[in-house]
Amino acid sequence: MSRRSGILEFAVLGLLRESPMHGYELRKRLNTSLGIFRAFSYGTLYPCLKTLVANGWLIEEPGSAPEDALAASLAGRRAKIVYRLTAEGKEHFEELLSHTGPDAWEDEHFAARFAFFGQTEREVRMRVLEGRRSRLEERREKMRASLARTRERLDDYTLELQRHGMESVEREVRWLNELIESERAGRDQRRSGPGSPADQEGTSGEADGLPRHRDAASSGGTPPGHPGPPDPSADTTK
């Protein structure tokens, strides 16, 4: 399985965990809620769905409205198929949510993981955020070293482009610092003592650590002014 197809499968399972959907609804949600999939085609989605069905993680069901099925039959079209997450699919998605290895820190996968932080345990969120920050700090230092070595040989426009890239990384590091501090503050509040509102919450799906002025990020967004991760679907329409 390629990294990009793995990310798409993760996102599909996550969306279907919320509610069953047919293919058109899934594609719309992937485009609107998870912008990293904005350019992918049905030719990419349906093979993914078939694979998930074959693995036993999804089941196909006919559309719920009888009149829709009748209208489709009279028009010579197939009725819409609704995809539902199975118990095995839910278990598999939860296993994926618990993964905190280096893949979860990369541009493409991190955006998808962040979109489902509301369903992720706090400790896992912390490890993913800290791993992502570490990865970007390494990238920032490499960019600084490269800029220092090549500054004299670059024209003004290339130099400005490199500065812009480094500033984007620095903005995301600051954003991650805010998220990590907020997660820590929420965890400390939860441990402050029995009876406190935070203490009464569960450990899965808590979002109280998210900075309130960053709420848009909970749907997979990126920090203000950040260009966002590369589009993993750039080559899926071929």
Side-chain angles (χ1 to χ4, degrees):
M1 181 192 305
S2 70
R3 177 179 296 181
R4 290 181 177 179
S5 63
I7 295 171
L8 178 58
E9 290 184 6
F10 172 83
V12 168
L13 291 172
L15 290 175
L16 290 177
R17 188 186 186 189
E18 299 173 4
S19 65
M21 301 181 205
H22 54 69
Y24 174 79
E25 290 173 313
L26 268 172
R27 185 172 186 266
K28 184 177 179 181
R29 288 290 306 278
L30 287 165
N31 284 337
T32 57
S33 300
L34 300 173
I36 57 173
F37 297 107
R38 60 184 174 274
F40 84 100
S41 65
Y42 284 113
T44 302
L45 175 60
Y46 283 107
C48 172
L49 291 170
K50 294 299 182 184
T51 297
L52 295 176
V53 170
N55 288 340
W57 298 330
L58 301 181
I59 57 173
E60 297 177 329
E61 299 176 339
S64 57
E67 61 273 16
D68 291 345
L70 178 60
S73 176
L74 293 174
R77 295 182 286 105
R78 292 197 314 165
K80 290 180 179 178
I81 299 298
V82 173
Y83 296 91
R84 182 185 298 274
L85 195 66
T86 64
E88 293 80 5
K90 181 178 180 181
E91 181 179 352
H92 178 63
F93 179 68
E94 290 173 350
E95 290 176 358
L96 295 176
L97 278 180
S98 67
H99 175 66
T100 60
D103 282 352
W105 312 338
E106 300 298 338
D107 293 342
E108 299 169 353
H109 208 157
F110 175 75
R113 286 298 303 269
F114 191 84
F116 294 100
F117 262 22
Q119 302 180 40
T120 305
E121 292 186 359
R122 186 189 301 274
E123 296 303 320
V124 174
R125 292 199 304 259
M126 283 288 293
R127 289 195 294 271
V128 172
L129 290 171
E130 289 173 344
R132 174 65 175 174
R133 180 176 63 180
S134 176
R135 179 59 48 86
L136 287 179
E137 287 174 340
E138 292 174 4
R139 185 183 303 174
R140 180 182 60 188
E141 294 311 308
K142 289 179 180 178
M143 294 174 74
R144 285 176 175 171
S146 175
L147 187 60
R149 288 194 309 267
T150 61
R151 182 187 302 272
E152 300 302 324
R153 301 195 301 270
L154 299 178
D155 61 67
D156 290 343
Y157 294 102
T158 305
L159 183 62
E160 193 61 31
L161 182 62
Q162 290 204 7
R163 285 173 176 165
H164 173 70
M166 190 164 65
E167 288 171 0
S168 297
V169 172
E170 289 173 340
R171 280 196 298 271
E172 185 168 351
V173 169
R174 291 194 296 269
W175 175 66
L176 289 166
N177 285 335
E178 291 183 22
L179 290 172
I180 290 169
E181 289 305 312
S182 294
E183 291 284 352
R184 286 174 177 164
R187 180 177 58 189
D188 292 343
Q189 180 185 11
R190 183 163 56 89
R191 292 176 176 176
S192 61
S196 64
D199 185 63
Q200 295 171 5
E201 294 181 0
T203 58
S204 179
E206 305 138 324
D208 53 284
L210 192 66
R212 296 307 171 195
H213 64 289
R214 301 292 193 186
D215 284 347
S218 64
S219 62
T222 52
H226 185 267
D231 185 355
S233 58
D235 61 352
T236 58
T237 57
K238 296 181 181 179

